[in-house]
């Protein structure tokens, strides 16, 4: 019997990361030195108190049962974190856990979209945004985030008819992949549009703790009117290096949260209790480690961007995130081709900009997942490869 996957899956291609991983394995088999700069998985470790909280909790067999919902202790920890960190007052009823922002974003469209509602997504942008809108049968439209406009959204350039048909817009700053941070005014402007055209704003706040040169990360929910029009994904993945534990929350407008809770109640039973305990420890614990880590990311950015600029590759500094968004050098125009050559000639594996959307073509994304010394080595390998000549 031939079993074909559902037609809806024809929409997706095998992930770019799987094929980049094959490239890495191939080079390693040849005994080549490889600099793995394609996946945004932090190489830092979770704080010890977070690991301890999880392992302690896992020793109690009761904690292996269905958790059914997030504990009051966890929801209160999120509330007090938001108060201290972002100055935002929350109540537990406007928070739901998701199994990572990626999963939450992937299902969001099913909770708040009807067929053919417009969903506005950044191009280039994080691929899970698109998957979520697609599963919600939305009419997916893109707003460009390009150098010309400082990588900021320009809703004033979109047709009014499109704005009228929009159900939700996704914003995400500091931005993966472009590395730009948005000032509050950019969000305030989007909130004004949301009120005028009656659409929802979803902010993906994955990198508020990785932001450079004295900028301050903030929550979208701290802005006037935000709670009325939208919600925010708040992930612990990158701040606390717990990407595998899948700890994230959707927080904001109660109607959005209720819709998401109802959907989630059909396919999930709530976060594993030991992971809830780890999340509580992270949220209530010291935050110096998060700041130190941010400073380390900044040193890495300086090593990579500064190093490549010295070689004549004109790469702007990222404002935040663990990524660098570099225009292709030396007349290259095809980002996949460039990444193949970069891997073959220099052993540096980076992600082609086209994987983040059509407007990502002409760029390559580097992840800052190696210490500065290793990034210096990678810069040197690029120099020796003569790819910039
Ligand atoms: C913009 C953005 N959102 C969400 C995520 C995923 O977060 P989580 O680990 O909570 O699924 C990432 C991870 O790279 C990201 O870059």
């Amino acid at each position: 019997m031939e079993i074909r996957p559902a037609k809806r899956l024809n929409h997706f291609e095998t992930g770019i990361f799987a094929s980049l991983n094959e490239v890495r394995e191939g080079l390693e088999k040849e005994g080549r030195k490889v600099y793995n700069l394609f996946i945004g998985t932090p190489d830092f470790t979770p704080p010890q108190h977070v690991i301890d909280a999880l392992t302690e909790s896992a020793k109690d067999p009761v904690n292996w049962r269905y958790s059914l919902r997030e504990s009051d202790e966890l929801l209160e920890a999120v509330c007090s974190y938001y108060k201290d960190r972002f100055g935002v007052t929350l109540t537990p009823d406007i928070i739901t856990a998701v199994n990572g922002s990626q999963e939450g974003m992937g299902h969001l469209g099913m909770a708040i979209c009807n067929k053919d509602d417009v969903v506005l997504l950044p191009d280039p942008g994080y691929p899970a945004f698109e998957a979520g809108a697609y599963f919600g049968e939305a009419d997916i439209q893109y707003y460009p985030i390009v150098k010309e406009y400082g990588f900021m959204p320009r809703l004033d350039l979109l047709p009014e008819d499109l704005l009228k048909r929009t159900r939700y817009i996704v914003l995400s700053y500091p931005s993966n992949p472009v590395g730009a941070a948005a000032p509050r005014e950019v969000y305030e402007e989007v909130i004004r549009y949301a009120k005028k055209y009656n659409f929802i704003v979803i902010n993906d706040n994955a990198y508020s703790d990785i932001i450079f040169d004295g900028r301050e990360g903030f929550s979208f929910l701290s802005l006037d009117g935000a709670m009325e029009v939208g919600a925010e994904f708040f992930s612990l993945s990158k701040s606390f290096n717990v990407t595998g534990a899948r700890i994230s929350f959707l927080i904001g407008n109660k109607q959005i949260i209720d819709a998401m809770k109802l959907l989630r109640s059909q396919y999930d039973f709530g976060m594993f209790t030991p992971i809830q305990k780890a999340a509580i420890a992270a949220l209530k614990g010291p935050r110096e480690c998060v700041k130190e880590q941010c400073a380390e990311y900044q040193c890495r950015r300086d090593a990579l961007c500064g190093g490549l600029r010295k070689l004549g590759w004109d790469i702007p500094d990222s404002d935040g995130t663990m990524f660098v968004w570099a225009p292709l050098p030396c007349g290259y125009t095809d980002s996949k081709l460039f990444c193949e050559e970069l891997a073959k000639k220099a052993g540096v594996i980076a992600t082609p900009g086209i994987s983040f959307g059509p407007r990502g073509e002409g760029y390559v994304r580097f992840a800052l997942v190696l210490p500065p010394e290793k990034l210096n080595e990678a810069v040197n390998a690029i120099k020796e490869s003569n790819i910039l000549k």
Side-chain angles (χ1 to χ4, degrees), residues 40-41 98-105 125-126 128-129 172-177 204-207 233-238 242-244 246-249 321-323 365:
T41 299
V98 286
N99 198 19
S101 297
Q102 166 131 349
E103 177 274 322
M105 193 60 91
Y126 185 64
F129 300 160
S172 183
Y173 291 97
S175 157
N176 172 16
D204 182 16
N205 200 5
Y207 297 104
F233 282 103
F234 166 58
S235 173
L236 304 201
S237 284
K238 303 295 164 84
V242 293
T243 45
R246 318 307 297 126
I247 309 172
S248 178
F249 304 89
T321 74
M322 54 197 296
F323 303 106
R365 190 197 75 172

Side-chain angles (χ1 to χ4, degrees), residues 9-20 22 127 336 355:
L9 292 188
N10 296 342
H11 180 77
F12 300 107
E13 288 172 16
T14 321
I16 180 79
F17 294 118
S19 50
L20 289 173
E22 276 169 26
K336 276 193 182 156
S355 0

Side-chain angles (χ1 to χ4, degrees), residues 119-182:
V119 171
L120 280 177
L121 302 178
D123 174 17
Y126 185 64
F129 300 160
E130 208 245 335
Y134 172 75
F135 290 134
E137 300 185 86
D139 173 3
I140 302 172
Q141 300 285 335
Y142 295 92
Y143 64 89
I145 53 169
V146 289
K147 187 172 172 218
E148 209 180 334
Y149 307 131
F151 297 103
M152 296 297 129
R154 285 290 304 271
L155 300 193
D156 57 316
L157 300 180
L158 298 179
E160 186 160 43
D161 164 58
L162 192 69
L163 294 167
K164 281 184 182 156
R165 290 198 299 120
T166 297
R167 178 65 172 156
Y168 70 90
I169 183 171
V170 176
L171 298 182
S172 183
Y173 291 97
S175 157
N176 172 16
V178 306

Side-chain angles (χ1 to χ4, degrees), residues 39 41 118 179 182 198 221 240 268 283 287 318 357 385:
I39 286 197
T41 299
V118 168
N198 198 27
L221 298 174
F240 298 97
D268 201 7
L283 292 165
R287 281 192 222 131
S318 316
S385 75

